Amino acid sequence: MSAIQDYPRFVLGNSLTAEQLAFFRENGFLHFRPFISRDRVQELLQASQQVQRQWLEEGVKKVNGVPIKYGKDVDGSPIVQRFAFASHYSPVLHEFLQDPRFQALFPLLETPGGRVGENEKNGLVINHYVNVTGSEFSQMGWHTDSLRDVFYGKRIAPMLNVGVHLDGTPATNGGLRLLTGTHRQGLRDMLFRKKYYKDVSSDDNEVAVETEPGDLTVHDGRMWHRVAQSPLVGEVSRRRVMYIPIIAGKYDPKDANSATPFYLRFLHLVK
C-alpha cells in the first residue's frame, strides 16, 4: 500500500497554496473538502435526473459523437450511467461550470491557456455506478486519460480530470484508486504498465480516494487510475461523480457532426 494512503484533504480557495502545488507536483492529485454544500449536491443530482428523463424520452444514443451508456437501476428501471456534454442540456449544470474556483486549478497545467473544457473532449461527464443485475457500469479498469492523444498521433497535451463527488464513498464501497506519481512516467509505461480497461485488479501501491458528498478531486491526465467495483449490491453501491476536463492548447470543440473517437468505440466493454 502506498506510503501516502493517509493523504491530506485540502480546502480550495481562489488560488492554490504553495503546499497544494507541491503536493500535486509530487503525487499528481489533490483532494478538496468540502467543495460544495449538501444542498448544492442535491441541486446537481436533480439537474442530472432532468437530463436523464429527456434522453430516455428522446432515445438519445450519442451527444457530439460520444456514445451514451445506459443501464438498469436497483428497481430495474432504465438509467443513464455515463453522460457526456451534460451541461449542454441543463442551465443548472452549465452555471455550475462557471464557478471561479475551477480557474484556481489552471496553474496545475503548468502552461498558459487553461480553460474548462465544457465543449471539448467529452464535456461534462457524469458517471453513475451501481452494482445490480442489469447495470452496465459498476467499475472501470486501469487507464490514463491521456491515451486519447496517443491514439490520434498527437503530442500529449496537459489535462486535469476534475471530479465532483455527489455520493460519499468509503474505500469499502469501491471508488477511485490512483497510482500516485505515475503522471511523471515515460511514454512506455503510459502505454504498457497495465492492460487498458481490461485490468480491474487491485495494485499494492494504489491509493484509495475516500469521498464525502460535495468533495472535489483533481488528477493529472497522465496518471494511472481505476474505479473499483463496490463489493456491496443494490442502493448502498450507488456512486455518482461529475467529471470536468481542464485543458490547454488549441481549442477543439465538438458538435453534432463530430465523429465518435476511436477509443470510445469500446465503451460497451466497460462494465
Side-chain angles (χ1 to χ4, degrees):
M1 191 65 69
S2 169
I4 67 159
Q5 186 66 38
D6 295 324
Y7 62 86
R9 276 68 167 175
F10 298 103
V11 174
L12 181 60
N14 293 323
S15 62
L16 295 171
T17 67
E19 180 186 10
Q20 291 164 0
L21 286 165
F23 186 90
F24 185 87
R25 291 190 185 107
E26 176 66 21
N27 299 292
F29 82 102
L30 289 167
H31 186 166
F32 298 99
R33 173 180 293 166
F35 180 69
I36 56 175
S37 68
R38 299 295 179 98
D39 288 343
R40 187 61 161 149
V41 166
Q42 291 305 311
E43 291 175 2
L44 297 176
L45 286 172
Q46 290 171 10
S48 70
Q49 289 162 3
Q50 290 172 354
V51 176
Q52 175 176 273
R53 284 194 293 271
Q54 179 182 348
W55 288 3
L56 286 170
E57 291 173 358
E58 297 178 359
V60 175
K61 302 299 183 185
K62 294 182 181 180
V63 177
N64 295 341
V66 178
I68 305 305
K69 195 172 186 68
Y70 291 89
K72 298 293 184 180
D73 207 343
V74 294
D75 61 357
S77 62
I79 56 171
V80 178
Q81 295 205 260
R82 188 181 190 274
F83 299 71
F85 296 102
S87 65
H88 290 200
Y89 292 81
S90 168
V92 172
L93 297 177
H94 169 72
E95 183 271 333
F96 176 66
L97 296 186
Q98 314 314 308
D99 191 314
R101 290 176 296 173
F102 289 126
Q103 298 178 28
L105 301 173
F106 292 176
L108 298 175
L109 293 167
E110 297 186 335
T111 191
R115 60 188 180 274
V116 174
E118 184 175 12
N119 305 315
E120 301 172 85
K121 304 293 186 181
N122 295 173
L124 173 62
V125 169
I126 306 175
N127 288 340
H128 186 166
Y129 300 95
V130 62
N131 190 18
V132 294
T133 300
S135 172
E136 291 293 319
F137 213 27
S138 63
Q139 64 182 326
M140 184 177 288
W142 287 106
H143 63 286
T144 73
D145 299 317
S146 294
L147 180 66
R148 65 193 71 184
D149 290 337
V150 177
F151 261 126
Y152 290 102
K154 299 179 181 179
R155 181 179 180 181
I156 295 173
M159 176 188 172
L160 307 173
N161 207 347
V162 179
V164 179
H165 300 261
L166 305 178
D167 293 289
T169 306
T172 53
N173 196 21
L176 182 62
R177 304 289 191 264
L178 304 171
L179 286 183
T180 61
T182 55
H183 63 302
R184 294 182 274 109
Q185 68 194 334
L187 181 60
R188 180 181 177 84
D189 282 342
M190 181 182 292
L191 292 176
F192 302 113
R193 183 177 187 131
K194 302 280 189 183
K195 292 183 179 179
Y196 270 82
Y197 299 110
K198 287 186 177 182
D199 186 354
V200 297
S201 60
S202 62
D203 188 295
D204 289 342
N205 294 311
E206 69 183 26
V207 168
V209 178
E210 296 190 290
T211 62
E212 296 178 359
D215 283 6
L216 181 142
T217 59
V218 53
H219 66 261
D220 191 298
R222 297 167 293 183
M223 174 181 285
W224 279 99
H225 60 287
R226 71 182 179 107
V227 177
Q229 185 179 56
S230 173
L232 308 175
V233 177
E235 184 61 39
V236 290
S237 71
R238 192 184 306 279
R239 290 164 291 146
R240 291 159 293 188
V241 187
M242 297 170 51
Y243 281 109
I244 304 152
I246 289 182
I247 53 182
K250 182 180 178 181
Y251 183 57
D252 186 20
K254 300 297 189 294
D255 58 36
N257 296 317
S258 295
T260 299
F262 177 77
Y263 66 94
L264 284 176
R265 297 176 186 177
F266 305 98
L267 184 62
H268 67 283
L269 299 176
V270 178
K271 296 179 182 294

